[in-house]
mmCIF file of all heavy atoms in Angstrom:
data_model
loop_
_atom_site.group_PDB
_atom_site.id
_atom_site.type_symbol
_atom_site.label_atom_id
_atom_site.label_comp_id
_atom_site.label_asym_id
_atom_site.label_seq_id
_atom_site.Cartn_x
_atom_site.Cartn_y
_atom_site.Cartn_z
ATOM 1 N N CYS A 1 17.246 7.921 -12.566
ATOM 2 C CA CYS A 1 17.347 8.497 -11.217
ATOM 3 C C CYS A 1 16.019 8.378 -10.488
ATOM 4 O O CYS A 1 15.982 8.053 -9.317
ATOM 5 C CB CYS A 1 17.768 9.965 -11.293
ATOM 6 S SG CYS A 1 19.481 10.177 -11.777
ATOM 7 N N LEU A 2 14.931 8.643 -11.205
ATOM 8 C CA LEU A 2 13.615 8.537 -10.595
ATOM 9 C C LEU A 2 13.368 7.117 -10.103
ATOM 10 O O LEU A 2 12.935 6.897 -8.988
ATOM 11 C CB LEU A 2 12.563 8.893 -11.647
ATOM 12 C CG LEU A 2 11.595 10.027 -11.335
ATOM 13 C CD1 LEU A 2 10.662 10.277 -12.474
ATOM 14 C CD2 LEU A 2 10.939 9.927 -10.027
ATOM 15 N N ALA A 3 13.655 6.158 -10.942
ATOM 16 C CA ALA A 3 13.414 4.765 -10.580
ATOM 17 C C ALA A 3 14.256 4.357 -9.381
ATOM 18 O O ALA A 3 13.790 3.654 -8.503
ATOM 19 C CB ALA A 3 13.700 3.856 -11.763
ATOM 20 N N ALA A 4 15.500 4.796 -9.334
ATOM 21 C CA ALA A 4 16.394 4.416 -8.242
ATOM 22 C C ALA A 4 15.951 5.056 -6.928
ATOM 23 O O ALA A 4 16.185 4.498 -5.867
ATOM 24 C CB ALA A 4 17.820 4.809 -8.570
ATOM 25 N N ASP A 5 15.301 6.197 -6.986
ATOM 26 C CA ASP A 5 14.916 6.910 -5.775
ATOM 27 C C ASP A 5 13.713 6.313 -5.060
ATOM 28 O O ASP A 5 13.455 6.643 -3.928
ATOM 29 C CB ASP A 5 14.619 8.381 -6.096
ATOM 30 C CG ASP A 5 15.881 9.181 -6.311
ATOM 31 O OD1 ASP A 5 16.975 8.672 -6.015
ATOM 32 O OD2 ASP A 5 15.772 10.319 -6.797
ATOM 33 N N ASP A 6 12.967 5.437 -5.717
ATOM 34 C CA ASP A 6 11.777 4.931 -5.054
ATOM 35 C C ASP A 6 11.981 3.543 -4.423
ATOM 36 O O ASP A 6 11.042 2.945 -3.951
ATOM 37 C CB ASP A 6 10.565 4.952 -5.988
ATOM 38 C CG ASP A 6 10.616 3.921 -7.105
ATOM 39 O OD1 ASP A 6 11.573 3.113 -7.152
ATOM 40 O OD2 ASP A 6 9.707 3.930 -7.945
ATOM 41 N N GLY A 7 13.196 3.077 -4.403
ATOM 42 C CA GLY A 7 13.488 1.795 -3.771
ATOM 43 C C GLY A 7 13.638 1.950 -2.269
ATOM 44 O O GLY A 7 13.616 3.051 -1.730
ATOM 45 N N PRO A 8 13.795 0.842 -1.566
ATOM 46 C CA PRO A 8 13.921 0.899 -0.113
ATOM 47 C C PRO A 8 15.213 1.581 0.326
ATOM 48 O O PRO A 8 16.225 1.511 -0.359
ATOM 49 C CB PRO A 8 13.912 -0.573 0.295
ATOM 50 C CG PRO A 8 14.385 -1.304 -0.917
ATOM 51 C CD PRO A 8 13.913 -0.514 -2.092
ATOM 52 N N LYS A 9 15.121 2.233 1.467
ATOM 53 C CA LYS A 9 16.285 2.864 2.088
ATOM 54 C C LYS A 9 16.344 2.367 3.528
ATOM 55 O O LYS A 9 15.325 2.116 4.154
ATOM 56 C CB LYS A 9 16.168 4.377 2.025
ATOM 57 C CG LYS A 9 16.219 4.891 0.581
ATOM 58 C CD LYS A 9 16.034 6.385 0.515
ATOM 59 C CE LYS A 9 16.085 6.919 -0.885
ATOM 60 N NZ LYS A 9 15.298 6.236 -1.890
ATOM 61 N N PHE A 10 17.575 2.224 4.026
ATOM 62 C CA PHE A 10 17.778 1.623 5.345
ATOM 63 C C PHE A 10 18.641 2.518 6.229
ATOM 64 O O PHE A 10 19.454 3.299 5.737
ATOM 65 C CB PHE A 10 18.477 0.262 5.198
ATOM 66 C CG PHE A 10 17.666 -0.738 4.427
ATOM 67 C CD1 PHE A 10 17.796 -0.848 3.050
ATOM 68 C CD2 PHE A 10 16.763 -1.554 5.078
ATOM 69 C CE1 PHE A 10 17.046 -1.766 2.329
ATOM 70 C CE2 PHE A 10 16.009 -2.486 4.371
ATOM 71 C CZ PHE A 10 16.153 -2.575 2.988
ATOM 72 N N THR A 11 18.477 2.368 7.536
ATOM 73 C CA THR A 11 19.355 3.034 8.490
ATOM 74 C C THR A 11 20.677 2.275 8.511
ATOM 75 O O THR A 11 20.781 1.170 7.974
ATOM 76 C CB THR A 11 18.740 3.027 9.905
ATOM 77 O OG1 THR A 11 18.593 1.661 10.319
ATOM 78 C CG2 THR A 11 17.394 3.745 9.946
ATOM 79 N N ASP A 12 21.676 2.838 9.165
ATOM 80 C CA ASP A 12 22.977 2.177 9.265
ATOM 81 C C ASP A 12 22.894 0.812 9.950
ATOM 82 O O ASP A 12 23.681 -0.085 9.662
ATOM 83 C CB ASP A 12 23.977 3.066 10.014
ATOM 84 C CG ASP A 12 24.373 4.284 9.201
ATOM 85 O OD1 ASP A 12 24.195 4.262 7.962
ATOM 86 O OD2 ASP A 12 24.857 5.265 9.800
ATOM 87 N N ASP A 13 21.906 0.654 10.846
ATOM 88 C CA ASP A 13 21.768 -0.635 11.541
ATOM 89 C C ASP A 13 20.758 -1.570 10.864
ATOM 90 O O ASP A 13 20.312 -2.552 11.455
ATOM 91 C CB ASP A 13 21.435 -0.430 13.021
ATOM 92 C CG ASP A 13 20.106 0.271 13.242
ATOM 93 O OD1 ASP A 13 19.509 0.796 12.272
ATOM 94 O OD2 ASP A 13 19.646 0.291 14.405
ATOM 95 N N GLY A 14 20.383 -1.282 9.605
ATOM 96 C CA GLY A 14 19.574 -2.200 8.814
ATOM 97 C C GLY A 14 18.071 -2.075 8.948
ATOM 98 O O GLY A 14 17.331 -2.922 8.451
ATOM 99 N N ARG A 15 17.592 -1.039 9.611
ATOM 100 C CA ARG A 15 16.140 -0.833 9.734
ATOM 101 C C ARG A 15 15.618 -0.162 8.463
ATOM 102 O O ARG A 15 16.269 0.712 7.911
ATOM 103 C CB ARG A 15 15.826 0.024 10.952
ATOM 104 C CG ARG A 15 16.186 -0.663 12.266
ATOM 105 C CD ARG A 15 16.095 0.288 13.450
ATOM 106 N NE ARG A 15 14.762 0.787 13.669
ATOM 107 C CZ ARG A 15 13.841 0.205 14.458
ATOM 108 N NH1 ARG A 15 14.154 -0.910 15.110
ATOM 109 N NH2 ARG A 15 12.653 0.727 14.607
ATOM 110 N N LEU A 16 14.437 -0.579 8.008
ATOM 111 C CA LEU A 16 13.817 0.020 6.834
ATOM 112 C C LEU A 16 13.289 1.404 7.183
ATOM 113 O O LEU A 16 12.574 1.563 8.175
ATOM 114 C CB LEU A 16 12.666 -0.864 6.340
ATOM 115 C CG LEU A 16 11.879 -0.335 5.141
ATOM 116 C CD1 LEU A 16 12.753 -0.326 3.880
ATOM 117 C CD2 LEU A 16 10.621 -1.187 4.926
ATOM 118 N N LEU A 17 13.652 2.385 6.389
ATOM 119 C CA LEU A 17 13.105 3.724 6.571
ATOM 120 C C LEU A 17 11.725 3.799 5.935
ATOM 121 O O LEU A 17 11.521 3.296 4.822
ATOM 122 C CB LEU A 17 14.017 4.773 5.924
ATOM 123 C CG LEU A 17 15.341 5.029 6.634
ATOM 124 C CD1 LEU A 17 16.256 5.889 5.778
ATOM 125 C CD2 LEU A 17 15.083 5.702 7.976
ATOM 126 N N LYS A 18 10.777 4.400 6.650
ATOM 127 C CA LYS A 18 9.440 4.577 6.099
ATOM 128 C C LYS A 18 9.542 5.553 4.925
ATOM 129 O O LYS A 18 10.066 6.657 5.087
ATOM 130 C CB LYS A 18 8.484 5.117 7.167
ATOM 131 C CG LYS A 18 7.071 5.311 6.659
ATOM 132 C CD LYS A 18 6.063 5.588 7.770
ATOM 133 C CE LYS A 18 6.456 6.723 8.640
ATOM 134 N NZ LYS A 18 5.441 7.060 9.647
ATOM 135 N N PRO A 19 9.079 5.156 3.742
ATOM 136 C CA PRO A 19 9.153 6.076 2.605
ATOM 137 C C PRO A 19 8.329 7.338 2.889
ATOM 138 O O PRO A 19 7.136 7.249 3.178
ATOM 139 C CB PRO A 19 8.546 5.276 1.448
ATOM 140 C CG PRO A 19 8.618 3.854 1.882
ATOM 141 C CD PRO A 19 8.512 3.869 3.376
ATOM 142 N N GLU A 20 8.984 8.474 2.829
ATOM 143 C CA GLU A 20 8.302 9.725 3.148
ATOM 144 C C GLU A 20 7.210 10.067 2.146
ATOM 145 O O GLU A 20 6.201 10.651 2.507
ATOM 146 C CB GLU A 20 9.317 10.869 3.216
ATOM 147 C CG GLU A 20 10.260 10.760 4.392
ATOM 148 C CD GLU A 20 11.249 11.904 4.437
ATOM 149 O OE1 GLU A 20 10.960 12.972 3.852
ATOM 150 O OE2 GLU A 20 12.307 11.728 5.054
ATOM 151 N N ASN A 21 7.413 9.692 0.901
ATOM 152 C CA ASN A 21 6.481 10.111 -0.147
ATOM 153 C C ASN A 21 5.605 8.969 -0.660
ATOM 154 O O ASN A 21 5.120 9.019 -1.782
ATOM 155 C CB ASN A 21 7.268 10.719 -1.309
ATOM 156 C CG ASN A 21 8.155 9.692 -1.987
ATOM 157 O OD1 ASN A 21 8.479 8.656 -1.403
ATOM 158 N ND2 ASN A 21 8.545 9.964 -3.209
ATOM 159 N N TYR A 22 5.370 7.951 0.151
ATOM 160 C CA TYR A 22 4.627 6.782 -0.344
ATOM 161 C C TYR A 22 3.240 7.144 -0.854
ATOM 162 O O TYR A 22 2.698 6.492 -1.726
ATOM 163 C CB TYR A 22 4.562 5.668 0.702
ATOM 164 C CG TYR A 22 3.592 5.933 1.833
ATOM 165 C CD1 TYR A 22 2.249 5.573 1.719
ATOM 166 C CD2 TYR A 22 4.007 6.538 3.012
ATOM 167 C CE1 TYR A 22 1.357 5.819 2.742
ATOM 168 C CE2 TYR A 22 3.127 6.780 4.035
ATOM 169 C CZ TYR A 22 1.802 6.431 3.903
ATOM 170 O OH TYR A 22 0.922 6.681 4.912
ATOM 171 N N ARG A 23 2.642 8.214 -0.347
ATOM 172 C CA ARG A 23 1.312 8.602 -0.808
ATOM 173 C C ARG A 23 1.344 9.182 -2.225
ATOM 174 O O ARG A 23 0.305 9.389 -2.846
ATOM 175 C CB ARG A 23 0.675 9.583 0.161
ATOM 176 C CG ARG A 23 0.307 8.855 1.470
ATOM 177 C CD ARG A 23 -0.553 9.644 2.381
ATOM 178 N NE ARG A 23 -1.928 9.302 2.585
ATOM 179 C CZ ARG A 23 -2.871 8.969 1.738
ATOM 180 N NH1 ARG A 23 -2.624 8.834 0.491
ATOM 181 N NH2 ARG A 23 -4.096 8.744 2.085
ATOM 182 N N GLU A 24 2.538 9.404 -2.757
ATOM 183 C CA GLU A 24 2.690 9.839 -4.150
ATOM 184 C C GLU A 24 2.969 8.642 -5.060
ATOM 185 O O GLU A 24 3.112 8.800 -6.263
ATOM 186 C CB GLU A 24 3.831 10.858 -4.263
ATOM 187 C CG GLU A 24 3.567 12.128 -3.487
ATOM 188 C CD GLU A 24 4.765 13.044 -3.441
ATOM 189 O OE1 GLU A 24 5.736 12.838 -4.205
ATOM 190 O OE2 GLU A 24 4.744 13.965 -2.614
ATOM 191 N N TRP A 25 3.066 7.455 -4.491
ATOM 192 C CA TRP A 25 3.311 6.245 -5.262
ATOM 193 C C TRP A 25 2.023 5.794 -5.943
ATOM 194 O O TRP A 25 0.981 6.439 -5.837
ATOM 195 C CB TRP A 25 3.816 5.147 -4.337
ATOM 196 C CG TRP A 25 5.227 5.345 -3.851
ATOM 197 C CD1 TRP A 25 6.046 6.417 -4.070
ATOM 198 C CD2 TRP A 25 5.963 4.440 -3.050
ATOM 199 N NE1 TRP A 25 7.253 6.218 -3.458
ATOM 200 C CE2 TRP A 25 7.223 5.002 -2.826
ATOM 201 C CE3 TRP A 25 5.675 3.201 -2.509
ATOM 202 C CZ2 TRP A 25 8.204 4.364 -2.085
ATOM 203 C CZ3 TRP A 25 6.650 2.564 -1.766
ATOM 204 C CH2 TRP A 25 7.899 3.144 -1.559
ATOM 205 N N VAL A 26 2.082 4.652 -6.595
ATOM 206 C CA VAL A 26 0.919 4.110 -7.286
ATOM 207 C C VAL A 26 -0.019 3.493 -6.252
ATOM 208 O O VAL A 26 0.377 2.613 -5.482
ATOM 209 C CB VAL A 26 1.341 3.059 -8.335
ATOM 210 C CG1 VAL A 26 0.105 2.474 -9.014
ATOM 211 C CG2 VAL A 26 2.283 3.670 -9.357
ATOM 212 N N TRP A 27 -1.246 4.005 -6.247
ATOM 213 C CA TRP A 27 -2.274 3.460 -5.360
ATOM 214 C C TRP A 27 -2.843 2.225 -6.033
ATOM 215 O O TRP A 27 -3.252 2.270 -7.198
ATOM 216 C CB TRP A 27 -3.357 4.508 -5.129
ATOM 217 C CG TRP A 27 -4.583 3.981 -4.466
ATOM 218 C CD1 TRP A 27 -4.756 3.730 -3.145
ATOM 219 C CD2 TRP A 27 -5.822 3.635 -5.107
ATOM 220 N NE1 TRP A 27 -6.016 3.241 -2.909
ATOM 221 C CE2 TRP A 27 -6.694 3.187 -4.111
ATOM 222 C CE3 TRP A 27 -6.268 3.670 -6.417
ATOM 223 C CZ2 TRP A 27 -7.986 2.772 -4.379
ATOM 224 C CZ3 TRP A 27 -7.558 3.249 -6.693
ATOM 225 C CH2 TRP A 27 -8.398 2.809 -5.676
ATOM 226 N N LEU A 28 -2.854 1.084 -5.346
ATOM 227 C CA LEU A 28 -3.347 -0.159 -5.917
ATOM 228 C C LEU A 28 -4.786 -0.458 -5.543
ATOM 229 O O LEU A 28 -5.540 -0.985 -6.353
ATOM 230 C CB LEU A 28 -2.458 -1.333 -5.497
ATOM 231 C CG LEU A 28 -1.030 -1.299 -6.018
ATOM 232 C CD1 LEU A 28 -0.241 -2.475 -5.485
ATOM 233 C CD2 LEU A 28 -1.013 -1.268 -7.535
ATOM 234 N N SER A 29 -5.150 -0.164 -4.303
ATOM 235 C CA SER A 29 -6.495 -0.506 -3.873
ATOM 236 C C SER A 29 -6.754 0.019 -2.468
ATOM 237 O O SER A 29 -5.813 0.308 -1.723
ATOM 238 C CB SER A 29 -6.663 -2.029 -3.878
ATOM 239 O OG SER A 29 -8.000 -2.385 -3.628
ATOM 240 N N SER A 30 -8.019 0.113 -2.135
ATOM 241 C CA SER A 30 -8.454 0.351 -0.759
ATOM 242 C C SER A 30 -9.444 -0.739 -0.408
ATOM 243 O O SER A 30 -10.226 -1.171 -1.256
ATOM 244 C CB SER A 30 -9.139 1.711 -0.613
ATOM 245 O OG SER A 30 -8.219 2.751 -0.738
ATOM 246 N N GLY A 31 -9.390 -1.182 0.824
ATOM 247 C CA GLY A 31 -10.344 -2.177 1.300
ATOM 248 C C GLY A 31 -11.030 -1.636 2.538
ATOM 249 O O GLY A 31 -10.505 -0.771 3.235
ATOM 250 N N LEU A 32 -12.189 -2.136 2.822
ATOM 251 C CA LEU A 32 -12.938 -1.742 4.005
ATOM 252 C C LEU A 32 -13.172 -2.984 4.846
ATOM 253 O O LEU A 32 -13.759 -3.969 4.374
ATOM 254 C CB LEU A 32 -14.278 -1.108 3.613
ATOM 255 C CG LEU A 32 -15.186 -0.686 4.768
ATOM 256 C CD1 LEU A 32 -14.517 0.389 5.627
ATOM 257 C CD2 LEU A 32 -16.520 -0.179 4.221
ATOM 258 N N GLY A 33 -12.652 -2.980 6.070
ATOM 259 C CA GLY A 33 -12.848 -4.098 6.983
ATOM 260 C C GLY A 33 -11.944 -5.281 6.689
ATOM 261 O O GLY A 33 -12.181 -6.371 7.180
ATOM 262 N N MET A 34 -10.890 -5.078 5.900
ATOM 263 C CA MET A 34 -10.013 -6.188 5.519
ATOM 264 C C MET A 34 -8.813 -6.351 6.436
ATOM 265 O O MET A 34 -8.026 -7.252 6.247
ATOM 266 C CB MET A 34 -9.525 -5.984 4.081
ATOM 267 C CG MET A 34 -10.637 -6.119 3.067
ATOM 268 S SD MET A 34 -10.078 -5.889 1.382
ATOM 269 C CE MET A 34 -9.005 -7.298 1.187
ATOM 270 N N SER A 35 -8.627 -5.477 7.399
ATOM 271 C CA SER A 35 -7.480 -5.584 8.286
ATOM 272 C C SER A 35 -7.602 -6.857 9.098
ATOM 273 O O SER A 35 -8.629 -7.121 9.716
ATOM 274 C CB SER A 35 -7.411 -4.357 9.205
ATOM 275 O OG SER A 35 -6.252 -4.400 9.967
ATOM 276 N N TYR A 36 -6.549 -7.676 9.072
ATOM 277 C CA TYR A 36 -6.633 -8.991 9.709
ATOM 278 C C TYR A 36 -5.549 -9.203 10.743
ATOM 279 O O TYR A 36 -5.335 -10.305 11.194
ATOM 280 C CB TYR A 36 -6.545 -10.086 8.635
ATOM 281 C CG TYR A 36 -5.499 -9.796 7.589
ATOM 282 C CD1 TYR A 36 -4.154 -10.020 7.847
ATOM 283 C CD2 TYR A 36 -5.854 -9.258 6.366
ATOM 284 C CE1 TYR A 36 -3.196 -9.728 6.896
ATOM 285 C CE2 TYR A 36 -4.900 -8.949 5.403
ATOM 286 C CZ TYR A 36 -3.572 -9.198 5.683
ATOM 287 O OH TYR A 36 -2.630 -8.896 4.759
#
């Protein structure tokens, strides 16, 4: 159940819902000045 709950969710018209709890997910990295 946990694994299934962290996958993408969509609106009825196919838009991706922003994950509400993404800040509780696995943090991979932070960069400084890398926005391109």
Side-chain angles (χ1 to χ4, degrees):
C1 288
L2 237 178
D5 284 349
D6 71 3
K9 294 177 180 48
F10 297 90
T11 62
D12 290 340
D13 63 349
R15 295 170 63 90
L16 178 67
L17 288 170
K18 181 169 54 176
E20 292 180 23
N21 65 340
Y22 75 87
R23 290 191 109 315
E24 297 172 13
W25 288 5
V26 178
W27 169 79
L28 295 177
S29 187
S30 290
L32 178 62
M34 292 180 66
S35 185
Y36 42 78

